[in-house]
Amino acid sequence: MRVIGLMSGTSYDAIDAGAADLSLDGDSLALKPLGLVSEAYDETLRDALAASLPPGATSMAEVCRLDTRIGQAFAATAVRAVRELCDGRAELIASHGQTVYHWAEDGRVHGTLQLGRPAWIAEATGLPVVADFRSRDIAAGGQGAPLVSLVDLLWLRGRPGTPVALNIGGIANLTAPDGTAFDTGPGCALIDAAARGFSGGRLSYDVDGALAGRGTVHEPLLRRLLEEPYYALPAPKTTGKELFHLGHLRDALSGVGTLPAEDVVATLTMLTARTVADAVGSLGATEVVVSGGGTRNPVLMRMLGQRLPGVALRTSDELGLPSAAKEAYAFAVLGFLTAHGLPGAVPSATGARHARVLGSITPGRDGLRLPPPAGQRPVRLVVE
């Protein structure tokens, strides 16, 4: 089955579409990558989205407008992916949507909200769309994240030692071979917030780690940031920009005085490296396979490597999955599993009571025609 996975992460900078040929062969799932297209949100939509997220205020009218406009943006990207990556022959779309709120309190997740109405995608492409992946896992008592853990477990199974998959987006998350998975805390969320704040919106992120590279880690600020109770919570746990936003940084800065922008960004970069490294170290990892936008920040990657001596640090590109497209491919896999009636979450990773088939399906132009249910759940993922 030829599937397109659509993803926009917590950095909400662009919509990624990864296309793949997927097939079941006994207990293996084969994935042949067909490529990636990426479409940046237009500036007006991105600004509206940013203004609506915590700590900003919004209205139901604005939520409705964003849901529609994001759905239309996802649809346009899907149309492009069908044409450019699949020669017009895609069979299924799997859309993560845009997370705008993850309702987590006292170690539990009570709900989640992803915008980008799948009807727009189905209407534009004529294809069935699987969406709203996280809600079913939450209804089953899980955290609804990190859902890519299933793909990580299938993909890294059989590698020597203790391989850990790490994704550094706005939030960083990891998966260990025993099924342990959780968000470690901020990936690039606070770094991006600082870059935008200090540049007056001119920068949306720390390009090539330039700001951090010119700065010095401010230890008192780092200590204040590390006092955040989230880091001490046991797994499984998830978080988001509901916690790690510009207001979080301002609260920490209020106790240390005025600092140069470069020192603040260097400190935030070290915060990500340290919290990730502490989490990786607690799992006894011998290898870390990294994906996500954080791989493009050389200062962050260098800091992370320095805090993980003796641990092999490599990007997912080296194992056949482009780091920029890995999450899009992961949701293509989850959509494929849903279409075949197979569970898409790992209870040990999310904390759910049971592994459930995820998502809701919007029929395509020809109605809903699903393949026959698969008889066997795959135990490994083979990237061709």
Side-chain angles (χ1 to χ4, degrees):
M1 176 180 277
R2 188 161 289 186
V3 185
I4 294 170
L6 299 173
M7 177 72 191
S8 177
T10 48
S11 293
Y12 55 88
D13 51 357
I15 302 165
D16 296 326
D21 277 331
L22 292 158
S23 60
L24 289 166
D25 182 10
D27 64 358
S28 295
L29 175 60
L31 184 154
K32 180 180 179 181
L34 299 178
L36 172 76
V37 296
S38 186
E39 281 286 340
Y41 280 125
D42 71 64
E43 188 173 344
T44 301
L45 177 53
R46 192 174 193 278
D47 288 347
L49 176 58
S52 72
L53 297 176
T58 190
S59 66
M60 293 305 296
E62 183 63 12
V63 170
C64 181
R65 284 189 285 266
L66 285 170
D67 191 30
T68 297
R69 293 172 64 196
I70 291 170
Q72 292 168 338
F74 269 68
T77 306
V79 168
R80 182 182 165 197
V82 171
R83 181 181 66 248
E84 296 181 16
L85 303 179
C86 303
D87 297 322
R89 298 195 302 273
E91 298 167 77
L92 181 72
I93 308 288
S95 176
H96 173 269
Q98 178 65 64
T99 297
V100 292
Y101 196 77
H102 202 61
W103 180 15
E105 286 181 2
D106 303 321
R108 288 188 56 205
V109 173
H110 303 274
T112 191
L113 181 61
Q114 285 75 42
L115 298 186
R117 190 69 60 175
W120 292 102
I121 305 169
E123 187 65 24
T125 63
L127 299 172
V129 181
V130 185
D132 193 23
F133 287 92
R134 299 189 185 277
S135 295
R136 185 61 187 275
D137 185 76
I138 292 170
Q143 300 270 323
L147 292 185
V148 297
S149 296
L150 174 63
V151 177
D152 289 333
L153 288 170
L154 297 179
W155 180 42
L156 298 182
R157 178 160 287 155
R159 290 189 65 80
T162 305
V164 167
L166 168 66
N167 185 76
I168 307 177
I171 301 298
N173 63 74
L174 53 75
T175 305
D178 66 355
T180 300
F182 56 94
D183 291 340
T184 63
C188 299
L190 293 179
I191 300 169
D192 294 349
R196 282 193 298 272
F198 283 118
S199 69
R202 183 177 55 84
L203 296 175
S204 58
Y205 65 100
D206 184 13
V207 181
D208 295 327
L211 290 171
R214 295 196 299 268
T216 300
V217 174
H218 188 270
E219 292 297 336
L221 175 59
L222 180 60
R223 286 194 296 270
R224 279 184 67 89
L225 290 163
L226 287 169
E227 290 172 356
E228 165 55 48
Y230 177 81
Y231 302 123
L233 292 176
K237 59 181 179 178
T238 57
T239 188
K241 287 188 173 179
E242 304 78 30
L243 173 59
F244 294 111
H245 51 65
L246 187 58
H248 181 88
L249 173 59
R250 286 172 174 159
D251 288 344
L253 285 170
S254 67
V256 297
T258 302
L259 297 175
E262 293 83 355
D263 289 1
V264 174
V265 176
T267 304
L268 294 172
T269 305
M270 178 58 77
L271 173 71
T272 295
R274 175 156 171 184
T275 51
V276 167
D278 288 349
V280 168
S282 71
L283 300 172
T286 58
E287 175 187 47
V288 178
V289 181
V290 194
S291 59
T295 61
R296 299 193 296 271
N297 184 325
V299 176
L300 173 58
M301 294 298 288
R302 183 173 67 249
M303 287 180 173
L304 185 58
Q306 290 169 346
R307 298 200 68 86
L308 291 171
V311 178
L313 191 65
R314 52 177 48 91
T315 65
S316 63
D317 304 71
E318 298 175 51
L319 302 185
L321 283 181
S323 58
K326 185 188 158 214
E327 285 199 299
Y329 284 133
F331 278 92
V333 169
L334 294 178
F336 175 90
L337 293 176
T338 295
H340 287 80
L342 295 170
V346 182
S348 62
T350 68
R353 293 182 295 273
H354 311 282
R356 296 299 191 198
V357 178
L358 302 179
S360 300
I361 303 176
T362 301
R365 187 175 298 123
D366 298 326
L368 187 58
R369 299 178 182 178
L370 297 177
Q376 185 176 2
R377 186 176 181 178
V379 299
R380 62 181 54 83
L381 176 69
V382 179
V383 178
E384 298 179 341

